[in-house]
Amino acid sequence: MNITCSFTFIFTVTLSLLSATSAVIYDSSGNKLLTGIPYYILPLLRGTGGGLTVTRATKDSCPLDVTQEPFEVNNGVPFTFTPIILDEQIIRGAYPISIEANVINPCSGSNIWKVTSTALKKNDEDAFLTSKEDKSKKKKDDDDDEDKNKDVANVETITTGGEFNKPESCFQIVEDNLMPGLQSHQIQNCPFKCGSSSSGYTCYNIGVVTDADGNGYLARTDAVFPVVFTSSYGAFSASAKVSTFSQLSAKVSAISHSGK
């Protein structure tokens, strides 16, 4: 068996074992999380805002930002999950997936999530420093540019416009035990599971950071953001999407940040 065949065999067997042994992810009703079915992504803790949605920073800006509804009575918009490699109907924990907004997108490009460097107006500076390497990079950038605008910070936010099976669009769901007795999950970005080893074998928590105007953006963050998944089936069919983006835009006040 040559090296290429050996690697392919090991890789295939590893994926098969992972598929067979990885814990199944469940929605808030106790049902298995299914591929292609739209779900609302809601925070576990009450009083911490509503569900995830997509918004435009300005009237014509693209791609869309993945943000959090400010009020918990709002579920946001539904999202779908798709395994990256294995053709499975069930979403399993710690397995690479793509996440896609189930809406009509006014921007050219896909609805798939991706990590994008975004300049946000600073709130609490420490909230924008998402990892040790980000902190180190920020210090270097500040040292290299004395005239840098001190009112903004570059943040690794989540937007639409991603590509399937690309490092910046590679996510996983893991179980979170923040509150014993309450099942919740943490979403993570894991670039190495879709072919990139530039940042080592690191997964980054995905949570909400707030800019100076109080707008909550989904982004890489050290903080834990426990979520639950609530099926929107019944409000939306498995293939249906929100028919008009104006329904979303009507809820969006001018969320402003500098550059994209």
Side-chain angles (χ1 to χ4, degrees), residues 103-175:
V103 298
I104 299 298
N105 191 339
C107 299
S108 59
S110 75
N111 283 345
I112 295 174
W113 286 14
K114 72 172 181 178
V115 177
T116 302
S117 182
T118 304
L120 297 182
K121 293 162 65 174
K122 290 182 182 178
N123 181 6
D124 175 4
E125 183 175 346
D126 289 338
F128 287 160
L129 305 182
T130 59
S131 67
K132 290 181 179 178
E133 65 183 62
D134 290 332
K135 294 173 185 178
S136 175
K137 181 178 183 300
K138 179 184 180 300
K139 183 178 187 303
K140 181 179 183 302
D141 290 343
D142 285 346
D143 291 341
D144 291 345
D145 187 359
E146 295 296 333
D147 297 326
K148 183 179 179 179
N149 188 340
K150 302 300 181 181
D151 294 329
V152 299
N154 287 324
V155 185
E156 298 297 304
T157 64
I158 307 302
T159 68
T160 61
E163 295 182 57
F164 190 77
N165 198 15
K166 294 293 184 180
E168 64 274 13
S169 296
C170 195
F171 296 89
Q172 70 175 16
I173 300 170
V174 294
E175 287 193 42

Side-chain angles (χ1 to χ4, degrees), residues 4 17 51 62 75 77 88 111 114 125 128 147 149 155 168 208 217 220 230 232 242 250:
T4 301
L17 290 174
C62 289
N75 288 336
V77 301
E88 284 199 276
N111 283 345
K114 72 172 181 178
E125 183 175 346
F128 287 160
D147 297 326
N149 188 340
V155 185
E168 64 274 13
V208 175
Y217 292 83
R220 282 182 178 179
T230 299
S232 65
V242 175

Side-chain angles (χ1 to χ4, degrees), residues 66-87:
V66 181
T67 58
Q68 183 184 22
E69 293 279 9
F71 305 109
E72 66 179 67
V73 294
N74 296 326
N75 288 336
V77 301
F79 298 87
T80 59
F81 308 95
T82 306
I84 293 294
I85 300 173
L86 295 179
D87 184 16

